[in-house]
Amino acid sequence: MSQETPLTRDIPDQGEPLDLAGYEQAGGYGALRKAVDEMGPEAVIQAVKDSKLRGRGGAGFPTGMKWGFMPRGDDAPERKYLIANADEMEPGTFKDRLLMEGNPHQFVESLVISAYAMGTQTAYIFLRDAYRLCRRRLQRAIDEARAAGYVGENVLGSGFDVEIHIHASAGRYICGEETALINALEGRRATPRDKPPFPQQAGLWGWPTIVNNVETLCNVPHIVARGPEWFRNLSHTENGGTKLYGVSGRVNRPGCWELPMGATLRELVDEHAGGMREGYRFRGCLPGGGSTPFLTGEHLDLGLDFDAVEEAGSRLGTGSVVVLDDRTSLMGFLRNLELFYARESCGWCTPCRDGLPWVARLLGALEAGEGRAQDIDVLEMHTRFLGPGRTFCAHAPGAMGPLQSALKHFPDDFRAGVRESELAEVS
Amino acid sequence: MLSDEERQEIEAELPHYEDAGALSVDALKIVQRHRGWVDDDGLADCAEILDLSVHELEGVATFYNLIFRKPVGRHVMLLCDSISCWVCGYDALCGRLQERLGVPLGGTTGDDRFTLLPMNCLGNCDHAPTLMIDDDLYDDVTPEQVDDLLKEYA
């Protein structure tokens, strides 16, 4: 059976993406037409619910349920906002860039349909500053779509108005956290907000706001065009759809591929990424970006979806696999990750601001073979003190994922970093 | 004083947001695009037209990695130091760049040609190690390519 790849089918191997005419020729904006002519907002939301689409930004929250929290009808507040989270910065993740650069109109269509479903008249694309080619291509697509009547006033004669603005940020990983993103869009420091209220109740400038990841949104036109059942059947598992999986590290052909949800790690690493580079062996991997706990060789045949990876003690995250090989220092690998999280902490709460640099320094000492006997215990303590429920947002708990799983799966690597004179004291 | 151009560009963004304060990052980036960096006067003038206190805007300016509150070189080099690039040869590339430019990370060359900055994951992990110079993204960069790469930027 040939596998369908709706998200990437129209992305050229290289060169310019489809322009408006090319996109329309490939069936583009047909889903929008169907949504406004035949379905109406409620049916679009129901289709997304029935599709079992789950958020592709990392948390995997059911998209239809999230949409359902947005107030609708006559009693709804006069303004509502849709924000596309295009602040892709999770270490090892390079999928949303592919979607935005490779088929900008698909993304624009997804925004218009989603805005229509939720009755939001303004959609923001919160784009990281370094994605400059994305910005140029998206702006061109928005302008073309506006000229053709897909964006702006009275979209396709439906009476529905929508404007799309690109907000190019100025760098900071924490902007990907949805409440921090809202603060950033309001022009403030990107510190997270307390929840509740959730953004769907009181988000951007206090109005109901929905924040969705780029890949999540790009699924919407296909769900609308082909139906939720078709979408569910794309997947090998109960989580609907395809997934953009990536592999990076010392493999032969690093890359990003759209596969049925539930593809195995072995399939990704051996088949699509062409196996490990000569002289390197697979030791483990972060299955979904820098803040997901390690999987190891015993998980190679695990079908990667949200539920299965969680059962195995990690998270599907962004589906972007970072491979740890046998010749890379695990202490260095972890030190690099934790230094990233230390640098990117917004500094709002103490465990994160003070704990992460400490963790990074201890890992640096272990990497250099200069660790002290008590360092391993101190690291273990941090995985608890910076864990879920101890900090204001998920930044520090995410940072602890790789560390606590490495302590579990690879304890000897930590011991090997302790000074020889103190090894006897390691508990 | 903001130039007419700077002021016009900032005002053109205004209708996109509910209040002027939301323009803080945009306004700082506009000033930076014209001046290369955000000087104290530029910051104070932005604060005034956005109806923010200078300190509030300074808090925003210093929060974001890519707002420069010190002068930078003519070309800004963003060297990805996140995990995939680190695994695939970041250390050697970073070492060569620092040696050829004669500056540490965060430094600007004496001739104001380059500023070398560490950068978080550039989303180009299938072509690690990677770096950006101005708007240009480079794939699979080796230390041996550094000399030719630098020649491209006067």
Side-chain angles (χ1 to χ4, degrees):
Chain A
M1 191 184 84
S2 74
Q3 286 161 353
E4 289 192 77
T5 54
L7 295 180
T8 53
R9 187 192 61 201
D10 296 324
I11 296 182
D13 284 339
Q14 44 186 276
E16 290 293 308
L18 293 179
D19 61 5
L20 179 67
Y23 184 69
E24 285 175 323
Q25 227 161 39
Y29 292 105
L32 173 61
R33 204 172 287 279
K34 180 177 174 185
V36 302
D37 287 351
E38 300 170 29
M39 293 174 73
E42 290 297 325
V44 173
I45 293 174
Q46 193 59 45
V48 172
K49 280 184 180 164
D50 294 342
S51 74
K52 297 195 178 174
L53 172 65
R54 291 175 60 169
R56 307 295 200 234
F61 194 82
T63 306
M65 193 190 291
K66 198 178 196 181
W67 284 19
F69 296 146
M70 283 290 273
R72 297 193 303 281
D74 296 339
D75 298 338
E78 59 177 294
R79 282 187 216 170
K80 288 182 272 184
Y81 289 104
L82 167 66
I83 305 173
N85 186 344
D87 197 51
E88 181 167 73
M89 229 179 283
E90 178 73 19
T93 301
F94 48 104
K95 63 184 185 66
D96 295 338
R97 188 166 70 86
L98 174 74
L99 289 170
M100 291 186 284
E101 284 181 6
N103 197 350
H105 275 291
Q106 170 175 262
F107 181 40
V108 171
E109 183 179 10
S110 81
L111 286 167
V112 180
I113 297 173
S114 305
Y116 171 72
M118 280 172 284
T120 63
Q121 295 181 347
T122 308
Y124 289 101
I125 299 171
F126 190 96
L127 184 67
R128 70 174 293 189
D129 189 52
Y131 279 8
R132 298 187 189 155
L133 183 61
C134 285
R135 184 179 189 177
R136 288 197 294 275
R137 288 184 174 177
L138 286 172
Q139 191 60 59
R140 190 187 316 152
I142 293 167
D143 293 344
E144 286 179 337
R146 184 180 289 111
Y150 297 125
V151 170
E153 286 179 14
N154 194 17
V155 171
L156 295 177
S158 64
F160 164 69
D161 307 332
V162 65
E163 270 308 324
I164 301 177
H165 301 301
I166 299 174
H167 175 86
S169 187
R172 273 319 272 270
Y173 172 74
I174 196 65
C175 294
E177 202 278 344
E178 68 175 4
T179 61
L181 184 154
I182 289 169
N183 273 339
L185 198 45
E186 288 184 7
R188 305 169 200 278
R189 290 167 74 94
T191 48
R193 292 179 179 180
D194 211 357
K195 292 191 272 194
F198 289 90
Q200 294 93 331
Q201 302 160 277
L204 190 60
W205 296 296
W207 301 103
T209 301
I210 196 109
V211 184
N212 284 138
N213 164 263
V214 174
E215 183 186 352
T216 310
L217 288 165
C218 285
N219 281 294
V220 170
H222 303 288
I223 293 168
V224 166
R226 311 279 298 270
E229 193 187 344
W230 166 85
F231 185 79
R232 286 197 306 273
N233 288 335
L234 293 171
S235 166
H236 290 329
T237 78
E238 284 296 300
N239 303 164
T242 59
K243 177 80 195 79
L244 261 61
Y245 292 100
V247 178
S248 63
R250 283 185 168 126
V251 293
N252 281 313
R253 290 192 305 272
C256 180
W257 311 275
E258 183 181 9
L259 301 170
M261 180 70 87
T264 66
L265 206 47
R266 190 185 301 281
E267 199 183 330
L268 288 176
V269 174
D270 287 352
E271 197 178 311
H272 297 284
M276 297 300 292
R277 277 196 222 162
E278 199 178 331
Y280 294 94
R281 283 189 303 124
F282 177 91
R283 238 192 128 197
C285 70
L286 310 175
S291 57
T292 56
F294 277 100
L295 294 179
T296 63
E298 65 174 300
H299 301 114
L300 280 170
D301 292 310
L302 188 71
L304 301 178
D305 78 350
F306 292 103
D307 300 320
V309 180
E310 198 167 321
E311 232 163 83
S314 183
R315 291 188 302 111
L316 180 63
T318 60
S320 308
V321 176
V322 183
V323 174
L324 170 71
D325 61 78
D326 62 329
R327 287 165 62 183
T328 292
S329 154
L330 175 61
M331 294 303 105
F333 190 100
L334 290 168
R335 190 255 313 146
N336 175 280
L337 286 170
E338 301 304 341
L339 203 57
F340 169 88
Y341 288 104
R343 191 171 73 189
E344 294 302 321
S345 169
C346 76
W348 181 258
C349 68
T350 311
C352 182
R353 183 186 60 234
D354 289 0
L356 288 172
W358 192 2
V359 165
R361 277 201 299 277
L362 291 178
L363 288 164
L366 290 167
E367 182 187 9
E370 291 292 322
R372 309 297 302 261
Q374 67 272 25
D375 287 356
I376 301 174
D377 289 339
V378 176
L379 288 173
E380 261 168 353
M381 180 193 83
H382 275 86
T383 64
R384 292 192 303 277
F385 280 16
L386 274 64
R390 302 283 191 146
T391 56
F392 202 74
C393 79
H395 181 86
M400 290 300 99
L403 177 60
Q404 60 84 11
S405 57
L407 283 161
K408 183 176 125 199
H409 293 304
F410 310 111
D412 292 346
D413 289 62
F414 291 84
R415 293 177 61 92
V418 175
R419 294 176 192 178
E420 216 170 316
S421 58
E422 298 193 18
L423 253 183
E425 298 166 46
V426 176
S427 52
Chain B
M1 281 287 283
L2 295 174
S3 69
D4 289 346
E5 237 180 329
E6 288 169 335
R7 186 175 289 271
Q8 280 162 13
E9 284 179 33
I10 293 169
E11 281 167 359
E13 294 287 331
L14 255 176
H16 297 167
Y17 302 95
E18 273 194 26
D19 68 38
L23 250 78
S24 60
V25 169
D26 293 290
L28 292 167
K29 282 169 74 176
I30 287 165
V31 168
Q32 181 163 296
R33 196 159 56 236
H34 286 278
R35 307 179 187 190
W37 63 298
V38 179
D39 58 353
D40 289 348
D41 287 346
L43 185 111
D45 293 338
C46 282
E48 198 185 329
I49 64 169
L50 302 181
D51 202 20
L52 297 170
S53 77
V54 172
H55 302 292
E56 214 173 343
L57 190 58
E58 181 76 294
V60 171
T62 53
F63 186 87
Y64 293 92
N65 297 337
L66 292 170
I67 302 293
F68 305 137
R69 285 290 280 123
K70 288 180 186 171
V72 293
R74 290 193 296 283
H75 306 289
V76 175
M77 192 181 293
L78 305 176
L79 177 62
C80 178
D81 63 2
S82 290
I83 191 65
S84 307
C85 284
W86 181 80
V87 166
C88 293
Y90 160 84
D91 282 334
L93 178 60
C94 183
R96 179 65 63 92
L97 282 166
Q98 292 186 56
E99 177 213 319
R100 287 297 197 266
L101 296 173
V103 294
L105 285 170
T108 299
T109 56
D111 57 1
D112 287 333
R113 199 164 139 222
F114 288 106
T115 295
L116 176 63
L117 295 176
M119 189 63 199
N120 43 29
C121 187
L122 279 171
N124 198 29
C125 320
D126 49 343
H127 293 291
T130 187
L131 58 82
M132 264 181 100
I133 304 177
D134 302 335
D135 283 359
D136 309 323
L137 184 65
Y138 290 94
D139 296 348
D140 308 297
V141 187
T142 63
E144 292 72 37
Q145 292 168 356
V146 162
D147 288 339
D148 286 340
L149 198 59
L150 296 182
K151 276 184 211 150
E152 300 285 316
Y153 297 87

